[in-house]
Each structure stands twice: as C-alpha cells, then as structure tokens.
C-alpha cells in the first residue's frame, strides 16, 4: 500500500490507465502533433535562410555594378583630364608672343606705331602718325 498525500491515509495503488501499452490513437496524435509543429518551423527557417541568401546575392550584385560604374567614370575622368591638359598646353603655345606675332604676320597685320588716345572731351593725347612700310597687305 502506498501512502497518499495526507499523513496517515493510504490509497490503494492500482494499475494506471495506459501504463502498459499506450493507445494507438494517442501515439498517432502525438506523432502528428510533433511533426506538424516542426515541419512549418523548419520550412520557415529554410525560407528565411533562402531569402537572406537571395538578398545578400542581390546586394553583392548591386555593389559590384556600382564598382564597375565607378571604375568606368574614373577612366573617363582621367581621359578628360588628359584632354584638358593638352588643350591648355596648346592655348599656352598660341599665347606665346612670338607665335602671336607670326600668326599676325600670316594674316597680313603689321606692328602698330606709337599709340594716340582720344579723351572724352575730344582732345588727342600723343601724336598719331601713319605707318611706314607695307601696310596694304
């Protein structure tokens, strides 16, 4: 005889219901409950991992595309900078006094004499004189 919860009382101990072989229906329900609980969770975990992997792949692709564009823009900037420097050197060559004089001579221009200036009131400063030499070309 086993002792119950209260001191001094005894309760007969008999075989428990289901203590032997469990009922087949109970086992089937428990198994399906476990499988039903784990299946959607496992599917959700796999789905989240796949989604994260796809998002990471898309992010990596976008970053690589931006990197290629940046590289192309840097190459274009370098090319345009080289062109700009070449043009500045060409302008500097044209601005050289000797080059300007040679170009002016090719266009038929002659060097000017002493300049004369006219004031606002009509007075002339300096002494204007006609050019001497081949001024007709």
């Amino acid at each position: 005889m086993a002792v119950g919860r209260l001191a001094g009382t005894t309760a007969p101990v008999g075989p428990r219901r289901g203590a032997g072989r469990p009922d087949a229906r109970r086992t089937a329900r428990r198994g399906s409950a476990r499988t039903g609980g784990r299946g959607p969770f496992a599917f959700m975990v796999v789905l989240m991992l796949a989604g994260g992997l796809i998002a990471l792949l898309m992010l990596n692709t976008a970053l690589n595309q931006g990197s290629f564009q940046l590289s192309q823009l840097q190459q274009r900037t370098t090319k345009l900078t080289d062109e700009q420097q070449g043009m500045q050197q060409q302008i500097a060559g044209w601005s050289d006094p000797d080059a300007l004089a040679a170009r002016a001579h090719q266009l038929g221009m002659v060097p000017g004499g002493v300049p004369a200036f006219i004031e606002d009131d009509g007075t002339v400063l300096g002494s204007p004189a006609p050019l001497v030499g081949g001024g007709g070309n």
Side-chain angles (χ1 to χ4, degrees), residues 93-111:
W94 290 341
S95 299
D96 181 47
D98 293 334
L100 283 174
R103 181 74 177 137
H105 184 67
Q106 286 176 353
L107 294 173
M109 302 172 95
V110 294

Side-chain angles (χ1 to χ4, degrees), residues 15-78:
R16 289 189 226 162
R17 186 172 181 206
R21 195 173 137 238
D23 195 11
R25 280 184 277 165
R26 261 192 208 166
T27 307
R29 269 189 276 146
R30 276 190 205 152
S32 66
R34 285 184 190 154
T35 307
R38 289 182 184 171
F41 178 73
F43 179 71
M44 184 178 69
V45 168
V46 169
L47 189 65
M48 288 176 62
L49 287 173
L53 186 62
I54 290 172
L56 186 62
L57 182 63
M58 291 177 68
L59 178 66
N60 192 14
T61 303
L63 288 175
N64 283 339
Q65 183 178 7
S67 175
F68 287 134
Q69 287 177 349
L70 179 64
S71 176
Q72 289 174 348
L73 290 175
Q74 285 175 343
Q75 289 174 357
R76 185 172 178 201
T77 301
T78 302

Side-chain angles (χ1 to χ4, degrees), residues 28 47 58 83 124-125:
L47 189 65
M58 291 177 68
E83 283 184 35
V124 178
L125 297 176

Side-chain angles (χ1 to χ4, degrees), residues 3 5 18 34 51 75 91 101 110 114 118-119 122:
V3 179
R5 290 188 175 200
R34 285 184 190 154
Q75 289 174 357
I91 290 171
V110 294
V114 179
I118 300 177
E119 293 284 333

